Amino acid sequence: MDLTKAEEAILNGEQGEGRQKAMELVTALGKIYGAESLIDITSAHLSGASYKTIGDGGLKYLEDMVSGGAKVSVPSTLNPVGMDRERWKEMHISEHFAGKQLRIIDLYGRMGIRTTCSCTPYTGANVPRFGDHVAWAESSALSFVNSYIGARTNREGGPGALAAAILGKTANYGLHLDENRKPTAVIDADIDGSVFSHSLLGQAYGMLKGKGVPYFRGIKPGIEEAKALSAAMAASGSVALYHVEGTTPEAGRFDVSELEAIPIGKKELEDAYSKLNVADDIELIAIGCPHLTEKEMHDIASFLRGKKKVRDDIEIWFCTSAEVRARCPEDVRIMEQFGKVLADTCMVVAPIEGVFSRTGTNSAKAGNYLPTLCSQKAMCRDISALLGVVM
Ligand code: F3S
C-alpha cells in the first residue's frame, strides 16, 4: 500500500502509541482488502460500546488506547451501550455492570468521541453529506448513510472505526470505490408501505440472497422505512448498500435492465414473518430498533393516548436517543404511563438475558438478534399489534 511520508511517520510511532496502533490496524485491513492507499474521512461512528459485548478485554483495549494518548481527529459518535446512563436501576442492571459501563463511556469521551450512545446519529448528531467518505460501524446506520444519503463507508467493525476516527483516514477499498456500488439484483417489491413491511422486506431479502447490492423497485421509503429496511438487511444478511428507484441518490446512475429481477411479495413476507415469530407470549416488549425517531415517538404517543394497559406482567421499553427523548416531553409523558422511555441503550446490547426469556419487538433486526445474542424467544409484529398484547 502507498503511504505518504506523514502516514509512514505515524506507523513508525512518531506521533505516539495510540496513533501508531490505529495506523497498524487500518493498514493491516487495507492490505487484506487490497487497498492501494488511505483516504481522508469526514466522520466516524463507533460500535463496541456495551460492556455486555466487549467485556473486560474490550475495556482493557480502550484503557490502553487512552493511556497511549489516542484522540479522534474527526467528528465521531458512539453506538448504544448496555444501559440508560440515568435509569439503569430500572433496567435491572447490577452495580458491577453499571460501574464497568460508565467507565467505558468515560474512556470513549476521553478520546474526544461524542458519547451520544445512539444507533441513529444520522437523524441529528452526525449527518454525513452525499459523497462523503466516512468510517462507520453499526450495520444498520452504515447501510442507511451509504444508501439513503449516498455517503461512502465499508461495514466497519468497532476497532476499525475507532482506528479510522483517530487517524481521520481509512483504507480506500470496497464501498469507497465506484465499481463496488453497482446494483447486483433488482427486487420488485410488493408491500403495503408501512414501516413494518419494510422490516419484513429486508428480512425476506436477507433470507433469499443474504448479500449484494439490491436495487428496489415498487417502494418509496421515508427515513423511518429506510431505517427499518437497512437494519433488517444488515442483520438477516450482510447488506451494507442498496438503491431504491426514484428515492436514493445514486439509483439513477445505473442501468439495471440486464440484471436478474426477483419478486418479493406476500409469500416471501409470510416466510420472513414466520422465521421471526417463535414466542406465543412475552414478558418484555422492546420497541426502537434502530432507535425511535421523533416522528415515531409522536406516532406511538398518539396510538397510546386514551388507552389502558391491562397486563402488568409485561414490561415495555421504548428505546431512543437522549437527544430525541429530550425533544419530545409530551410524548414521553404519555409513553411513560405504559412503559419506560430509555435512552443510550437497546434490547440487544443490554443484558436482558437472566431477567427476561421471551421478548416482543417490531424490528426484524432485533428479531434476528434477540435469540442469538440475548437467549430470547422472540415475537415480531408491527407496533400496534405488539402493544395490542397488553391492552
Ligand atoms: Fe440499534 Fe440496538 Fe437495534 S444498536 S439497530 S437498537 S440492535
Side-chain angles (χ1 to χ4, degrees):
M1 197 189 314
D2 286 338
L3 296 183
T4 63
K5 284 216 163 67
E7 290 163 355
E8 290 281 4
I10 296 171
L11 195 55
N12 294 334
E14 291 172 31
Q15 293 184 12
E17 202 186 327
R19 283 173 73 75
Q20 182 181 30
K21 275 191 180 163
M23 186 58 92
E24 282 169 2
L25 182 52
V26 166
T27 51
L29 287 169
K31 279 178 195 153
I32 291 168
Y33 291 106
E36 289 176 4
S37 62
L38 303 185
I39 188 168
D40 290 344
I41 56 167
T42 55
S43 77
H45 178 70
L46 312 179
S47 65
S50 170
Y51 179 59
K52 166 176 156 174
T53 53
I54 68 169
D56 288 322
L59 178 51
K60 167 84 171 52
Y61 180 78
L62 294 173
E63 299 271 11
D64 290 347
M65 292 302 277
V66 169
S67 56
K71 290 259 182 232
V72 296
S73 49
V74 290
S76 304
T77 43
L78 190 64
N79 226 30
V81 296
M83 62 188 208
D84 186 311
R85 264 172 285 197
E86 290 160 13
R87 302 182 65 180
W88 55 268
K89 285 193 177 142
E90 296 171 61
M91 295 176 64
H92 322 282
I93 299 285
S94 69
E95 298 268 353
H96 173 261
F97 185 99
K100 298 276 189 177
Q101 186 61 77
L102 291 172
R103 177 68 184 146
I104 290 169
I105 297 170
D106 178 58
L107 289 167
Y108 276 113
R110 283 168 189 244
M111 288 188 274
I113 293 146
R114 280 189 66 196
T115 53
T116 44
C117 301
S118 174
C119 50
T120 56
Y122 49 79
T123 61
N126 187 352
V127 189
R129 292 160 308 177
F130 177 82
D132 279 356
H133 293 273
V134 299
W136 280 41
E138 172 43 46
S139 60
S140 67
L142 67 90
S143 178
F144 184 96
V145 302
N146 257 333
S147 310
Y148 205 74
I149 295 178
R152 296 183 172 214
T153 178
N154 284 316
R155 196 173 154 120
E156 300 279 358
L162 175 59
I166 290 166
L167 299 171
K169 291 169 187 286
T170 192
N172 191 17
Y173 68 93
L175 295 176
H176 291 287
L177 305 173
D178 278 345
E179 62 262 33
N180 298 319
R181 300 181 68 85
K182 289 182 192 153
T184 54
V186 171
I187 304 299
D188 285 317
D190 181 11
I191 62 172
D192 66 19
S194 63
V195 171
F196 187 60
S197 69
H198 284 79
S199 209
L200 289 181
L201 172 62
Q203 175 71 23
Y205 178 84
M207 286 164 59
L208 284 172
K209 300 289 281 183
K211 55 189 183 177
V213 180
Y215 179 102
F216 288 98
R217 296 192 294 216
I219 56 172
K220 212 151 186 42
I223 288 172
E224 285 72 21
E225 292 79 12
K227 173 170 83 81
L229 180 63
S230 305
M233 284 193 292
S236 60
S238 58
V239 173
L241 168 66
Y242 59 90
H243 304 288
V244 180
E245 192 166 85
T247 298
T248 57
E250 290 175 76
R253 284 178 41 207
F254 306 106
D255 172 11
V256 294
S257 56
E258 301 290 313
L259 288 177
E260 174 194 16
I262 303 165
I264 293 185
K266 193 163 178 286
K267 180 183 176 309
E268 292 77 17
L269 264 48
E270 281 172 2
D271 291 346
Y273 184 88
S274 303
K275 167 109 178 51
L276 295 169
N277 279 277
V278 175
D280 47 13
D281 198 11
I282 43 183
E283 300 157 337
L284 171 67
I285 291 175
I287 294 170
C289 169
H291 276 174
L292 294 168
T293 63
E294 274 184 74
K295 179 178 181 305
E296 288 173 315
M297 295 279 284
H298 297 328
D299 290 348
I300 292 170
S302 306
F303 174 79
L304 292 175
R305 196 173 281 117
K307 294 198 170 67
K308 266 211 165 78
K309 187 179 177 197
V310 294
R311 283 195 61 181
D312 284 334
D313 58 325
I314 300 178
E315 204 167 305
I316 305 179
W317 292 2
F318 302 102
C319 301
T320 187
S321 63
E323 228 180 339
V324 166
R325 183 169 67 181
R327 273 196 240 124
C328 309
E330 179 54 19
D331 299 326
V332 170
R333 190 187 66 74
I334 295 168
M335 292 157 82
E336 285 282 333
Q337 293 165 17
F338 294 80
K340 296 165 188 161
V341 180
L342 300 173
D344 307 324
T345 189
C346 80
M347 65 300 280
V348 171
V349 297
I352 64 168
E353 54 279 2
V355 182
F356 306 103
S357 59
R358 291 168 296 162
T359 296
T361 178
N362 65 321
S363 158
K365 175 170 178 178
N368 279 281
Y369 288 156
L370 284 167
T372 53
L373 300 179
C374 309
S375 309
Q376 302 293 297
K377 282 193 171 161
M379 174 187 283
C380 189
R381 301 184 180 170
D382 75 13
I383 291 181
S384 53
L386 205 53
L387 291 173
V389 173
V390 297
M391 302 205 188

